Amino acid sequence: MGNHRATRRRSGDVAGTSARADASSASSQTVTQTTSRTSAGKRRAVKHAAPRGSFLRKMPSAPILLGVAALAVSSFGAISMGDDLIDDDGHRLVQANALTGTSVVSSSSAAEERRLAVSRDSRRDALEDASAEQLQQAAEAQAQQRNAELAKLAKSAEKQAAKLKLNAWHLPVADIAYHLTAGFGESSGLWAHTHTGLDFAADTGTPIMSVTNGTVTEVGYDGSYGNKVVITTDEGEEFWYCHMNEFGASVGDVVRGGQVIGYVGSTGNVTGPHLHLEYRPGAGDPVDPYDALIAHGLNP
């Protein structure tokens, strides 16, 4: 009986296995038939749909791709920039850091620009200082030259002033000691003709001074002129000093303007003590002494 049961069990297992195989064969046939009924385009769609979905699921995300690309670019730049490059301004170029985005050239260029700016400022300041110093030196030289010219002019003016002072005219009698009594060209019974000079009335013994520089060319008594002294200038002008009471110079004496040459008296044709002054340019005929004194800055 036991063998019979075992035989039946094995027969059942074989039958079950056969049934499952038949079912699997039927299922395969069904799938094959279904596939054969679809069109060629649908078969291709089904065939490609499954791989595309699978590929996208296997692709990494976008941020990861971007990071990988940046690292690749940085690596390539580091390799390609292995040899330093020099730009037109002479700056050394170094690849930028992939993480920070900065490069050595940016910092070194900024430092170089600052150094160049400082250098330019220093040169400009030096040029300005040199220019200012040159201008100052030129101004000082010009001032020295001007001062030298002014000194020359001053010296020349002093010489001229001394010369003028030396040749200056003087009143023949001190202004507090006289008064005018007769002018040039007057007519009177006191003179044979018109008056030829200018009369300075003063006390007897009042000093008589030479009007200007000259040489004493005559000393003596001359009729109606009384005691007379004649002084001739270098230009040939003659001054006659008449009616002296006493002489104070001799022929040949070189006198200066303002020097005493005699004293007031009343010799000759007079009505009282006075000085008769005649002025004869070029040793010719007399002219008005009053006008000549005024022309030389005097007020008789």
Side-chain angles (χ1 to χ4, degrees):
M1 180 176 295
N3 291 331
H4 177 76
R5 289 178 180 174
T7 302
R8 290 179 58 189
R9 190 179 295 118
R10 287 194 296 269
S11 298
D13 292 338
V14 172
T17 301
S18 177
R20 284 192 299 269
D22 293 338
S24 175
S25 176
S27 176
S28 299
Q29 292 177 358
T30 301
V31 171
T32 302
Q33 293 175 358
T34 302
T35 302
S36 64
R37 286 195 299 266
T38 59
S39 62
K42 289 182 181 181
R43 282 201 305 271
R44 284 193 298 270
V46 172
K47 181 178 180 181
H48 289 86
R52 182 173 60 208
S54 176
F55 178 76
L56 292 176
R57 283 194 301 271
K58 293 179 181 179
M59 286 291 292
S61 62
I64 295 175
L65 290 175
L66 292 176
V68 172
L71 290 174
V73 171
S74 175
S75 300
F76 178 77
I79 294 172
S80 63
M81 296 295 287
D83 295 332
D84 294 344
L85 298 180
I86 305 300
D87 64 6
D88 293 338
D89 296 330
H91 298 152
R92 181 182 178 185
L93 302 179
V94 181
Q95 179 65 27
N97 188 288
L99 298 178
T100 62
T102 61
S103 63
V104 177
V105 70
S106 63
S107 59
S108 62
S109 296
E112 180 67 11
E113 289 297 331
R114 286 194 297 272
R115 187 187 68 79
L116 293 177
V118 172
S119 178
R120 286 194 298 269
D121 293 342
S122 299
R123 288 197 299 270
R124 182 169 59 251
D125 293 340
L127 290 175
E128 291 177 355
D129 293 340
S131 178
E133 184 176 358
Q134 290 176 355
L135 290 176
Q136 183 177 359
Q137 291 176 354
E140 290 177 355
Q142 186 177 6
Q144 291 178 355
Q145 183 178 3
R146 183 178 65 252
N147 292 336
E149 294 296 332
L150 290 176
K152 290 181 180 178
L153 289 176
K155 186 176 292 186
S156 177
E158 290 176 356
K159 290 182 179 180
Q160 186 65 20
K163 183 178 180 180
L164 291 174
K165 183 178 180 180
L166 186 64
N167 296 319
W169 283 26
H170 299 264
L171 289 173
V173 180
D175 54 1
I176 60 174
Y178 76 92
H179 62 279
L180 297 179
T181 56
F184 179 84
E186 292 182 7
S187 297
S188 172
L190 299 175
W191 311 290
H193 302 287
T194 58
H195 194 226
T196 55
L198 186 63
D199 290 348
F200 295 80
D203 294 338
T204 300
T206 300
I208 298 172
M209 295 169 289
S210 176
V211 172
T212 188
N213 304 335
T215 302
V216 177
T217 56
E218 183 180 341
V219 175
Y221 188 83
D222 186 12
S224 61
Y225 286 107
N227 293 328
K228 181 178 74 173
V229 172
V230 178
I231 296 177
T232 304
T233 67
D234 294 339
E235 289 77 17
E237 303 166 310
E238 289 185 353
F239 289 89
W240 291 12
Y241 304 87
C242 307
H243 308 305
M244 286 186 179
N245 182 55
E246 183 180 354
F247 298 117
S250 301
V251 175
D253 289 349
V254 176
V255 298
R256 298 295 181 186
Q259 181 177 337
V260 175
I261 58 173
Y263 300 90
V264 173
S266 54
T267 59
N269 187 13
V270 297
T271 58
H274 71 278
L275 166 66
H276 175 84
L277 177 67
E278 285 191 14
Y279 174 53
R280 295 173 180 259
D285 294 334
V287 298
D288 190 352
Y290 186 91
D291 292 340
L293 293 172
I294 290 294
H296 285 80
L298 300 174
N299 187 17

